Amino acid sequence: MSKKPTGIAKGLTNYGDRDFSLYLRRSFAQSMGYSRAMLEKPVVGIAYTPSGFNNCHRHFPELLEAVKRGVLTAGALPIEFPTISLGEVFLNPTSLKFRNLMSMDTEEMVRAQPMDAVVLMGGCDKTVPAQLMGAVSAGRPAVMLVAGPMMTGRHRGERLGACTDCRRFWAQYRAGKVDDKEITEVEGKLATTAGTCAVMGTASTMASIAEALGMALPGSAAIPAVHADRLRAAEASGARAVELSRSPIRPSQVITERSVENALRVLLAIGGSTNAIIHLTAIAGRAGVPISLRRLNELSDSTPVLVDLKPTGQYYMSDLYTAGGVGAVLRELKPLLNLDCMTVAGITLGERLEREPTWVDRAVVKPFGDPLSKEGGLVALFGSLAPNGAILKRSAADPKLFEREGRAVVFTSLDDLAARIDDPALDVTADDFLVLQNAGPKSGYAMPEAGYLPIPAKLARAGVKDMVRISDARMSGTAYGTIVLHVSPESAAGGPLALVRNGDRIRLSVRKRNLELVVPEGELKSRKAAWKPPVGTPSRGYAKLYMEHVLQAEHGCDFDFLRDFPRKA
């Protein structure tokens, strides 16, 4: 029986002559200075995503050298390769549009190129889910290495971190409490180091989920980007990838129904980003694991919020690291977790927790029996306005707004919102519900983080800090407020949200998990008959592919043809 090809002998280019293919590949590889002895070793690919348009990954050149060091020390050949990099604030219309493209790039390059295992280097919001989605579909052993969070800055004696404090100061600026000079001063102090946002935004949430799933090494999620421990985690990730090349554990063996439930528990306990529901649903979907929003509610009812981080609390990611990291959260949740789940470390979650130190800073991570909240940070809502579901981050919302009925003040698009939200003549009060239509996956805007509708200027100046806001858009994980998101079906698909008119009554009940449009059925049928899609399908390119195949929020906004893709080594 012939030995299964490894290293650069894996997946040979087809010239109709296998021996010639290997001979030619070795010849070209040697042009890069590799010795014949190195070319006989297993290959660990490194999916490398630095970009001048991605500030979060600024430190990746140094991180790459640490990964390579780990690979070489463990006896394999490290070869980095580039893929698409998604810098959250540098992409138009939104990075979510390109997450699936990056996942396809990652999947195909991992599958097509000769590697026995891969280290995935990512961090900025959509890069981690894109890489995990691609890795599941490619089926090669993989280790996720996240960028790590930024350190905080200072402004007039106050600690600052992107981007919750960005939004707080901008709200004060809109309300006239901060002047032009100070907002410019703050602008330069919010993001002061390499790394992802310093709070429990989407990037930090996805890093925590990667560790909770078992796809990142234990203790690696919360290490600050500029900390020496981040380099040591990179070295360890490279070394572990070599071990996986010899004794494979594939992503489909790690990302299972039981580990996904663990990840959901952690998401709820850390008060994580609403975006994570979309991303985790997409990642799990690649492994053939469905996520039910009704099941999310069941988990949320029994999972307490334990982590006191912004935007729902007062601390930052660097504080979570020194407090015990994601491991401290997992230990508190231990009675609720599936401890038999395998991790890329080669041990089960239960074995991991048995081996770790148990010290924790209780100022940052609360005990299970004395949580910040007895219920999880996220809740799904259903009803006539959201038949397929909507999401509310209740840990970042005002409970006084949870049970109420209000008048709809409707904005038909992002352009309409920008044009009218600060109009002094806008007919709006603090008791109204702001409604944004046509901001979902198929809207032409590709579901941007526009769900954080600004408080109308005249209300902000009067001291209003929160009001109910409803849309089919997303919200940054760094944001806060009583904001209903991901309403499905979306407006652009003709969902009930598209039929809301100014003055309609909407009823919200977080207690009942309910969101109702209080309009007679006959009137809604009449409006539906007159409805037209806001945009057509683009004529070419990725925009056309995206519009024709993107799924709704409850299916993770993945492409319909990528879910549960057959996995091959």
Side-chain angles (χ1 to χ4, degrees), residues 494-514:
L497 186 65
L499 310 180
V500 183
R501 300 289 181 266
N502 279 315
D504 287 350
R505 306 295 294 182
I506 296 174
R507 187 178 301 126
L508 168 67
S509 174
V510 177
R511 178 173 53 83
K512 295 180 180 179
R513 313 290 191 264
N514 194 240

Side-chain angles (χ1 to χ4, degrees), residues 191 202 266-267 281 311-312 348 352 371 397 409 419 445 449 511 514 538:
T202 303
V266 169
L267 168 62
T281 299
T312 62
T348 65
R352 171 202 165 164
V409 176
Y445 298 110
E449 291 183 342
R511 178 173 53 83
N514 194 240

